[in-house]
Amino acid sequence: MGVSNIVSVFLLLVLINLSSNNIKGIEAFHKVYEKLQSQSVESVNPLHRSAFHFQPPKHWINDPNGPLYYKGFYHLFYQYNTKGAVWGNIVWAHSISKDLVNWEALEHALYPSKWFDVKGTWSGSITIVPGKGPIILYTGVNKNETQLQNYAIPEDPSDPYLRKWIKPDDNPIAMPDYTMNGSAFRDPTTAWFSKDGHWRTVVGSRRKHRGIAYIYRSRDFKHWVKAKHPVHSKESTGMWECPDFFPVSTTDFENGLDLDYVGPNTKHVLKVSLDITRFEYYTLGKYDPKKDRYVPDGNSPDGWEGLRFDYGNFYASKTFFDYKKNRRILWGWANESDTVEDDISKGWAGLQVIPRTVLLDSNKRHLVFWPIEEIESLRGNYVRMNNQNIKMGQRLEVKGITPAQADVEVTFNIPSLEKAETFDPSFKLKPLELCKMKGSNVTGGVGPFGLITLATPDLEEYTPVFFRVFKDTSTHKPKVLMCSDARPSSLKQDRGPLKQDKMYKPSFAGFVDVDLADGRISLRSLIDHSVIESFGALGKTVITSRVYPVKAVKENAHLYVFNNGTQIVNVESLNAWSMQRPLQMNNGAQ
Ligand SMILES: *[C@@H]1O[C@H](CO)[C@@H](O)[C@H](O)[C@H]1NC(C)=O
Ligand SMILES: *[C@@H]1O[C@H](CO)[C@@H](O)[C@H](O)[C@H]1NC(C)=O
Ligand SMILES: *[C@@H]1O[C@H](CO)[C@@H](O)[C@H](O)[C@H]1NC(C)=O
Ligand SMILES: *[C@@H]1O[C@H](CO)[C@@H](O)[C@H](O)[C@H]1NC(C)=O
Ligand SMILES: *[C@H]1O[C@@H](CO)[C@H](O)[C@@H](O)[C@@H]1NC(C)=O
């Protein structure tokens, strides 16, 4: 039997195994594919790999960990499988950059080696402690599968690369007590220092079905004590992974705030990643440092109908304060939407989205996100369009750039909202369902209009990103839906046992908080082969989709601007650029 036959028989066995009971779920996230997690990658299929997103050369990645700016370098650590393309064998991989665009890989910062992390070095964060330097807080898993919080210190804090990390023997710094669930206790946040002389960090957890954010205090960053009450919790939300807790200014809408900022004009943001739904949500609210309690604002819903950093494929996100440029920057993980079999055969899975700045919107009801300015250094060939009316059923091609690897910004002008469809109040809580019901091919009044990305000319394959405007008869205001619809994205049909399409092709959607008083709305999409990040109305609503076209790839992909509503819309301006590859992307990763 030839090698390739042996490989295919082996693959077949793997696939048979996959469909049986090889999946041992500790819980939704840490799905353990026992036989697959160490199966080495034979080769890497580059077809759908990104060009300008952060991605190691092969294998599985998930959560971004401990991002920081230190001594002239941005650092990104991330959860990485050293052996294969599914979750398992997780270490803290480590890369550095001067500009958040070009990255160089260093040796792994943390890997299981001590009794307090022998079964896992899971997510965490970094705090710069004056006099000590950067300190990692991370979750370790012991041989009993109990989750513990640990710390690690740089061997040499004066090394700007922070290459070597030491895990002191007085770890762990926090163990679950008898009231807590030791299988649900993880992801410590960056700590902050308060006037009362204490450091504080937040750790995600659950008690029965209640999602919990515990708060721990320490004077010396070694001895930590759990506060009597969680900083916040919410019934029926399940495990709170990857909490993030930070202040935003309510008067300065240009600069971010560091964690220990204290002042009158602030709100706090509490974000959690919900293990049950695999989506995140956040609330805006008030943090009382005396009581160590956080209370969301009345109009900021707590739970999975709440606000999101990103309404698409985005999870386990984490922000850090970049004191070089006074901004708060968000990292987040976008997993694959294809199948586990696909991930194994392509040899890689997961990427980090383009870092985004985070600010409070001047309406103070939600945050706004924008790709870091540094990414614009990759803009190459440029084309534009101005003052073009688009009638119903029309689409205009954006030519002269590379549509599979592009940055496109468009501002639409809507002359009249009269024809907008009436908004049925029952739609309200389910933008995803609404987008599914009213896709880009369902004629409307005002909209659907927007971009058609990664498309074949006959629209056999395409991923539309668009708006649809409704009239809300109860508020007399327009209600704007934004969709990034993966349903028509790929001809690939991979039928499961019940004949369902196994590829995940959601019609991701969110509402956009705009009144359209001046008739304008903008859309920016960063398109990178299998990832499309879209920013509606300058970042009020953000949606990331992962798609895997089979025909609309590389130079066969096309980009259009379209309208399928009876109301004519005007493309006031459209600017599009080909995006170049960074010179150095994670060069030399292990
Ligand atoms: C593991 O669990 C056993 C039995 O509950 C206990 O005696 C032991 O101390 C635990 N070991 C660790 C490393 O936590
Ligand atoms: C503890 O957490 C684990 C993991 O989330 C969960 O499976 C288990 O049901 C939880 N136990 C209790 C008592 O809530
Ligand atoms: C616009 O609507 C027509 C008619 O339903 C459809 O054929 C076309 O694919 C639609 N365009 C998009 C981008 O969905
Ligand atoms: C409209 O698009 C949706 C999503 O791609 C598809 O399921 C449906 O069949 C399309 N309808 C028509 C009439 O083309
Ligand atoms: C990403 O993959 C899809 C398809 O397998 C799942 O449906 C999502 O739940 C998953 N998202 C996360 C955050 O794990």
Side-chain angles (χ1 to χ4, degrees):
M1 211 161 24
V3 172
S4 69
N5 277 339
I6 295 174
V7 170
S8 33
V9 167
F10 180 62
L11 253 183
L12 190 69
L13 289 175
V14 165
L15 295 187
I16 291 168
N17 254 324
L18 246 187
S19 44
S20 63
N21 55 1
N22 184 32
I23 303 173
K24 176 185 156 232
I26 302 181
E27 58 206 77
F29 166 45
H30 298 109
K31 224 178 234 173
V32 180
Y33 297 92
E34 275 178 343
K35 302 212 174 73
L36 301 178
Q37 63 181 357
S38 302
Q39 187 189 321
S40 67
V41 165
E42 303 275 322
S43 65
V44 169
N45 183 343
L47 183 63
H48 292 118
R49 280 179 66 79
S50 71
F52 58 93
H53 281 72
F54 184 93
Q55 233 190 334
K58 57 183 181 181
H59 295 167
W60 164 276
I61 74 170
N62 53 295
D63 312 5
N65 293 152
L68 89 157
Y69 178 72
Y70 187 65
K71 293 192 189 291
F73 286 99
Y74 292 98
H75 292 252
L76 177 66
F77 304 81
Y78 56 98
Q79 298 275 287
Y80 178 64
N81 183 347
T82 51
K83 295 183 176 156
V86 303
W87 186 83
N89 313 299
I90 294 293
V91 302
W92 274 49
H94 182 193
S95 292
I96 53 164
S97 171
K98 287 207 168 214
D99 57 7
L100 292 161
V101 173
N102 295 282
W103 292 90
E104 183 188 340
L106 302 178
E107 53 268 55
H108 302 321
L110 299 178
Y111 43 86
S113 64
K114 302 265 186 165
W115 71 268
F116 48 78
D117 66 10
V118 68
K119 287 228 173 152
T121 44
W122 290 2
S123 288
S125 55
I126 293 191
T127 309
I128 299 176
V129 180
K132 296 189 178 180
I135 299 186
I136 291 179
L137 295 178
Y138 74 100
T139 299
V141 185
N142 73 7
K143 73 170 195 292
N144 289 358
E145 310 270 353
T146 298
Q147 296 167 19
L148 315 163
Q149 311 319 316
N150 300 318
Y151 76 108
I153 54 175
E155 194 179 271
D156 175 11
S158 71
D159 168 22
Y161 285 38
L162 298 170
R163 276 180 187 275
K164 294 252 181 319
W165 292 82
I166 298 168
K167 298 183 275 193
D169 285 329
D170 55 357
N171 271 308
I173 54 163
M175 301 246 253
D177 65 33
Y178 72 97
T179 66
M180 294 156 68
N181 183 341
S183 309
F185 178 50
R186 55 182 180 266
D187 310 335
T189 65
T190 301
W192 69 97
F193 190 71
S194 312
K195 283 194 180 128
D196 66 1
H198 285 96
W199 290 96
R200 286 171 167 79
T201 181
V202 171
V203 183
S205 189
R206 63 182 277 186
R207 195 183 296 136
K208 299 217 171 83
H209 301 296
R210 175 175 285 273
I212 298 184
Y214 290 117
I215 196 159
Y216 282 77
R217 288 192 282 252
S218 172
R219 283 193 179 273
D220 58 4
F221 226 88
K222 281 188 169 196
H223 302 91
W224 292 82
V225 177
K226 181 158 72 72
K228 202 161 153 207
H229 303 286
V231 71
H232 190 51
S233 73
K234 180 71 184 176
E235 75 275 359
S236 313
T237 52
M239 175 63 193
W240 282 5
E241 300 194 293
C242 303
D244 200 15
F245 190 51
F246 57 87
V248 287
S249 173
T250 56
T251 48
D252 174 355
F253 303 112
E254 278 162 24
N255 296 294
L257 296 178
D258 204 350
L259 288 189
D260 51 14
Y261 181 85
V262 186
N265 302 312
T266 65
K267 272 180 195 290
H268 261 77
V269 176
L270 176 63
K271 184 276 304 182
V272 296
S273 305
L274 296 178
D275 202 11
I276 299 182
T277 62
R278 309 301 288 158
F279 293 115
E280 308 191 318
Y281 82 90
Y282 73 92
T283 50
L284 287 166
K286 259 286 162 246
Y287 167 57
D288 178 345
K290 289 219 176 70
K291 296 200 183 108
D292 258 340
R293 292 270 206 177
Y294 166 79
V295 181
D297 293 347
N299 56 359
S300 196
D302 215 333
W304 44 68
E305 309 293 4
L307 295 166
R308 299 207 195 141
F309 287 180
D310 186 311
Y311 289 79
N313 192 327
F314 182 86
Y315 198 72
S317 70
K318 185 179 282 297
T319 63
F320 74 103
F321 181 67
D322 171 14
Y323 52 85
K324 181 180 167 193
K325 292 197 175 179
N326 258 335
R327 54 187 178 172
R328 180 160 290 281
I329 294 179
L330 172 71
W331 279 102
W333 163 52
N335 75 339
E336 300 303 307
S337 290
D338 58 3
T339 62
V340 174
E341 296 90 321
D342 289 331
D343 291 346
I344 289 167
S345 72
K346 71 190 202 278
W348 56 273
L351 51 79
Q352 306 296 343
V353 301
I354 301 300
R356 303 167 182 170
T357 57
V358 184
L359 289 166
L360 185 64
D361 189 277
S362 56
N363 71 20
K364 302 181 197 177
R365 291 190 293 264
H366 59 81
L367 300 172
V368 282
F369 305 91
W370 200 244
I372 47 152
E373 59 188 6
E374 287 86 340
I375 204 71
E376 293 166 24
S377 67
L378 296 176
R379 286 173 170 175
N381 254 13
Y382 166 66
V383 294
R384 58 181 231 182
M385 214 183 258
N386 279 103
N387 188 23
Q388 287 270 355
N389 279 335
I390 320 186
K391 294 196 296 259
M392 173 162 120
Q394 222 186 345
R395 63 182 148 112
L396 307 175
E397 181 158 11
V398 180
K399 286 187 178 160
I401 57 154
T402 52
Q405 203 174 302
D407 183 357
V408 50
E409 280 181 340
V410 50
T411 302
F412 295 97
N413 198 333
I414 314 159
S416 159
L417 297 178
E418 220 140 88
K419 294 185 178 139
E421 299 156 80
T422 303
F423 184 76
D424 177 337
S426 72
F427 295 163
K428 196 144 107 202
L429 296 175
K430 299 185 174 58
L432 196 138
E433 289 307 309
L434 185 52
C435 175
K436 194 167 178 181
M437 188 164 86
K438 290 180 177 285
S440 63
N441 59 3
V442 178
T443 303
V446 179
F449 62 86
L451 295 168
I452 308 177
T453 71
L454 297 177
T456 54
D458 56 4
L459 301 192
E460 251 190 305
E461 289 187 318
Y462 67 109
T463 303
V465 184
F466 59 95
F467 299 114
R468 188 171 202 119
V469 182
F470 296 90
K471 252 185 278 206
D472 189 338
T473 47
S474 61
T475 60
H476 301 286
K477 281 190 186 144
K479 184 96 185 161
V480 180
L481 180 74
M482 173 174 162
C483 296
S484 177
D485 193 352
R487 286 176 299 159
S489 62
S490 176
L491 288 168
K492 185 164 188 246
Q493 297 273 333
D494 200 353
R495 298 288 174 194
L498 301 169
K499 297 243 161 33
Q500 83 282 22
D501 192 345
K502 285 207 295 181
M503 197 187 279
Y504 179 54
K505 293 175 183 167
S507 47
F508 283 133
F511 291 110
V512 192
D513 191 349
V514 284
D515 61 12
L516 297 179
D518 64 358
R520 287 195 179 82
I521 189 162
S522 71
L523 175 65
R524 177 175 180 191
S525 289
L526 292 166
I527 305 161
D528 194 1
H529 300 279
S530 65
V531 54
I532 303 157
E533 293 184 50
S534 301
F535 299 79
L538 297 174
K540 283 171 180 279
T541 301
V542 185
I543 308 178
T544 298
S545 290
R546 298 296 314 277
V547 296
Y548 311 88
V550 291
K551 292 188 176 172
V553 294
K554 310 225 155 157
E555 49 291 335
N556 297 323
H558 295 257
L559 175 67
Y560 305 87
V561 55
F562 83 102
N563 177 21
N564 256 345
T566 52
Q567 169 64 54
I568 288 178
V569 295
N570 183 264
V571 175
E572 194 175 279
S573 66
L574 181 149
N575 300 299
W577 295 264
S578 295
M579 290 294 270
Q580 293 156 330
R581 270 173 198 279
L583 291 175
Q584 199 174 30
M585 177 55 89
N586 212 52
N587 199 5
Q590 304 117 66

